[in-house]
């Protein structure tokens, strides 16, 4: 790699992997991994070098060798050279200017069409040269949609995953939270439970309870129990009403091994869900969650910075045509994203890279209680994500997940963001809210006395 002189000091970098890591904005995970820049000056030097790096370099020399990593092979083998052609001659710095020019001109279709031509590392690289406002502007112009019983990712819309977790998977507690969320307009992305155990019997029971509620009130949404993919395969075989297949994924073969998954298993699960034919307006059946730092915690990052590995996870996700993908941005803890500032930056990077790569990207705006962050930081990130066109966020009772033990966004936070920015729920879910008398025509929660149909959970 070429070097660069700043002041009286010459900076040299061994390879593109080092340039990428040292060009990354500060975060604790990269320091922990020993790949971060040693000073702000070295970070600037790496950005100079990265800006002059041709995009073609990422095609010629994958950051993780093709021979040892199936995520690399997937990205390389599916790379669309025709879609890449408009930017193939550009450097990373020139790609930044190209994206900003088209975003400023409102060329959404041009930006959308670029996605299959970009390798994940290209998206990560250009994000490292961007200010927050640059990422917000470009992301806001990209509209990627997916559908099952409703359509996610449409412009001017903000969906929510209603997250009714319970520390013992008690159906009464789960259904009470579901009722709370529906009354406040949450649940159009999905009603999705993180189970307290990975028992197939417990997962099947929760799926049946959720499906009873959905069918009883004809709710145009989809349900999911976020169990391991092998558990979901087992309950599909047993006849449980599975809408979406969930799995946590990462950006290297090794980190996915630590999750107990690979591409073949994900392909099998997707085919199993498709065979059920439960979608009504689309058949996007996969739900993936990701998060910066998972590869480092598994010792599976191959010397890459955590944000680049995260972008590679999005390259994996898009190969499976998912309905939902979200980064759980602050969930892993301060070892990887130390404070509110780092979480805010990471959330915007993740949304930008996911949308640039063609995903209907959501974000779990969250933090753990031992991070140097608070709900005010999350309000800032939530508002910025809304401006950037985030497809969906979480809806957690009181923003406090009593099972997973972290802080997220509440049902009321989604109401705030929709009111502030004029965003609406997914279209069929919106029509359902109004038809049930839960919301008025102005999409304000209606008084309980105005409901057309009493909304009560079935007997637990």
């Amino acid at each position: 790699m070429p070097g660069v002189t700043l002041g009286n000091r010459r900076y040299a970098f061994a390879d593109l992997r080092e340039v990428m890591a040292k060009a990354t904005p500060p975060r604790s995970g990269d320091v922990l991994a020993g790949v971060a820049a040693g000073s702000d000056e070295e970070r600037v030097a790496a950005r100079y070098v990265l800006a002059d790096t041709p995009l073609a370099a990422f095609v010629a020399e994958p950051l993780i060798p093709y021979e040892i990593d199936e995520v690399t092979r997937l990205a390389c083998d599916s790379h669309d050279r025709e879609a890449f052609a408009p930017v193939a001659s550009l450097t990373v710095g020139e790609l930044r200017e190209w994206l900003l020019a088209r975003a400023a001109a409102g060329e959404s279709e041009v930006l959308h069409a670029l996605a299959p031509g970009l390798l994940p590392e290209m998206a990560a690289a250009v994000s490292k040269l961007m200010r927050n406002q640059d990422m917000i502007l470009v992301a806001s112009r990209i509209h990627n949609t997916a559908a099952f019983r409703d359509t996610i990712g449409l412009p001017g819309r903000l969906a929510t995953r209603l997250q009714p977790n319970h520390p013992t998977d008690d159906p009464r507690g789960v259904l009470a939270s579901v009722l709370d969320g529906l009354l406040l307009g949450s649940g159009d992305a999905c009603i999705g439970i993180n189970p307290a155990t990975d028992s197939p019997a417990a997962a099947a029971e929760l799926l049946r309870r959720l499906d009873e509620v959905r069918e009883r009130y004809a709710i145009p949404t989809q349900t999911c129990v976020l169990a391991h993919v092998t558990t979901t395969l087992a309950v599909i075989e047993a006849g449980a009403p599975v809408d979406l297949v969930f799995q946590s994924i990462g950006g290297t073969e090794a980190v996915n091994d630590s999750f107990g998954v690979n591409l073949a298993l994900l392909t099998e699960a997707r085919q199993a869900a498709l065979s059920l034919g439960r979608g009504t307006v689309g058949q996007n059946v996969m739900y993936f969650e990701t998060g910066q730092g998972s590869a480092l915690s598994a010792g599976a990052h191959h010397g890459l910075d955590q944000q680049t590995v995260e972008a590679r996870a999005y390259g994996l996700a898009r190969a499976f045509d998912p309905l939902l993908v979200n980064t759980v941005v602050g969930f892993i803890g301060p070892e990887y994203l130390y404070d509110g500032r780092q979480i805010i930056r990471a959330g915007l990077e993740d949304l930008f890279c996911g949308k640039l790569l063609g995903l209907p990207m959501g974000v779990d705006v969250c933090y753990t209680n031992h991070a140097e962050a608070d709900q005010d930081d999350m309000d800032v990130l939530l508002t910025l994500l809304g401006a950037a066109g985030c497809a969906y966020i979480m809806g957690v009772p009181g923003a406090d997940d009593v099972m997973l033990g972290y802080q997220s966004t509440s049902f009321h936070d989604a109401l705030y963001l929709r009111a502030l920015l004029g965003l609406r729920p997914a279209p069929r879910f919106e029509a359902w809210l109004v038809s049930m008398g839960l919301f008025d025509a102005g999409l304000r929660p209606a008084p309980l006395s105005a409901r057309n149909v009493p909304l009560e959970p079935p007997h637990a």
Side-chain angles (χ1 to χ4, degrees), residues 186-211:
S186 184
D188 40 352
C190 75
I191 304 174
I193 303 170
N194 296 93
T197 73
D198 213 31
S199 158
E205 175 65 13
L206 289 171
L207 284 166
R208 284 191 290 270
R209 296 303 184 103
L210 292 180
D211 206 50

Side-chain angles (χ1 to χ4, degrees), residues 344-366:
I344 289 167
R345 173 73 192 190
L348 292 174
E349 290 169 348
D350 293 351
L351 179 70
F352 167 80
C353 288
K355 294 189 77 174
L356 193 60
L357 293 169
L359 295 173
M361 194 72 192
V363 178
D364 187 346
V365 183
C366 64

Side-chain angles (χ1 to χ4, degrees), residues 326-337:
N326 68 261
T327 169
V328 191
V329 66
F331 180 74
I332 301 181
E335 299 86 356
Y336 306 97
L337 295 169

Side-chain angles (χ1 to χ4, degrees), residues 161-162 164-166 169 174 191-195 206 210 224-227:
R161 168 190 157 194
L162 202 173
N165 295 346
H166 191 278
D169 291 339
V174 168
I191 304 174
I193 303 170
N194 296 93
L206 289 171
L210 292 180
C224 185
V225 171
L226 282 69

Side-chain angles (χ1 to χ4, degrees), residues 388-411:
C390 186
Y392 70 100
I393 60 171
M394 305 299 118
V396 179
D400 184 0
D401 192 304
V402 295
M403 195 281 282
L404 292 174
Y406 78 118
Q407 307 303 308
S408 185
T409 43
S410 70
F411 307 135

Side-chain angles (χ1 to χ4, degrees), residues 47-129:
R47 288 176 180 172
Y48 271 114
V49 174
L50 183 60
D52 290 337
T53 298
L55 294 176
F58 293 96
V59 179
E61 297 183 26
L63 299 186
I64 300 176
Y66 183 95
E67 297 76 17
I68 68 170
D69 187 89
E70 68 174 2
V71 178
T72 297
R73 291 194 291 275
L74 176 65
C76 292
D77 293 348
S78 61
H79 185 221
D80 188 330
R81 301 301 178 101
E82 183 177 347
F84 181 52
V87 299
S89 64
L90 302 184
T91 65
V92 177
E94 289 168 341
L95 175 61
R96 174 184 176 273
E97 299 304 318
W98 189 94
L99 292 170
L100 288 170
R102 273 131 196 91
E107 297 177 15
S108 297
E109 290 303 317
V110 174
L111 293 169
H112 178 77
L114 180 64
L118 292 180
L119 294 174
E121 292 86 348
M122 297 175 187
V126 74
S127 74
K128 297 175 192 298
L129 304 182

